[in-house]
Amino acid sequence: MRAVVQRVRRAQVDVDGQTVGKIDQGYLILLGVGHEDGPAQIERLWTKILKMRIFEDQDGKTNLSLADVQGQVLVVSQFTLYANCKKGNRPSFTEAGKPDVANQLYEDFVARARQDVAVVQTGVFGAMMDVSLVNDGPFTICLDTDQL
């Protein structure tokens, strides 16, 4: 699994002009599922995200976790995180998970996040989405379970 985690002041995702997910302070997580991913990758990735200390304390040090600031989460599916650009100019997405399996793992990731966070919003898997955010920092981290 791959994730781009952005610390945000607020974020939302719209589908066909309608807001389907919206959060205040927390994380916007763009989540990509690979063809070899499963439950172990969900747990590894979510545990890392939950425990990351990237919010600033009163001294301006990044010592606080999502739980410490009672942050919210917006999870948006993003198969393009598995783009392979080694050959030619058109990315290949053969490393991304098959849609039916990827959708289930995406839903399982969201369910896992909801065990720890009071507000977890989502986009719509497979939909054309407009994502907007106010990045806090900016502070953006790329994670890959193959490297955790």
Side-chain angles (χ1 to χ4, degrees):
M1 287 189 143
R2 294 180 180 164
V4 174
V5 180
Q6 296 180 293
R7 188 179 74 184
V8 298
R9 293 177 194 253
R10 64 184 169 274
Q12 76 179 47
V13 61
D14 298 334
V15 176
D16 296 328
Q18 299 294 316
T19 300
V20 297
K22 183 176 180 178
I23 63 165
D24 291 318
Q25 180 186 35
Y27 293 154
L28 168 62
I29 302 172
L30 304 177
L31 183 69
V33 177
H35 61 82
E36 294 184 8
D37 289 334
Q41 285 73 27
I42 291 170
E43 190 62 33
R44 186 177 316 134
L45 182 60
W46 176 248
T47 299
K48 178 59 78 173
I49 290 171
L50 182 64
K51 293 181 178 182
M52 280 193 312
R53 296 183 304 151
I54 63 172
F55 289 95
E56 294 176 356
D57 63 16
Q58 66 276 7
D59 297 322
K61 304 279 188 198
T62 52
N63 281 327
L64 302 177
S65 70
L66 187 67
D68 294 329
V69 300
Q70 297 168 354
Q72 302 176 356
V73 172
L74 175 59
V75 186
V76 176
S77 61
Q78 182 101 30
F79 79 94
T80 60
L81 292 177
Y82 276 90
N84 183 329
C85 299
K86 289 180 183 174
K87 289 176 89 175
N89 295 317
R90 181 179 302 176
S92 167
F93 299 102
T94 58
E95 295 175 30
K98 294 187 187 310
D100 56 336
V101 175
N103 185 22
Q104 185 59 57
L105 291 170
Y106 167 79
E107 294 295 336
D108 292 348
F109 180 89
V110 169
R112 179 63 185 92
R114 287 184 171 141
Q115 292 176 18
D116 296 312
V117 178
V119 176
V120 177
Q121 297 282 304
T122 66
V124 176
F125 187 91
M128 181 61 107
M129 296 176 274
D130 295 324
V131 180
S132 58
L133 67 135
V134 175
N135 201 317
D136 184 12
F139 206 122
T140 303
I141 296 186
C142 298
L143 299 171
D144 187 323
T145 53
D146 289 342
Q147 298 173 3
L148 297 179

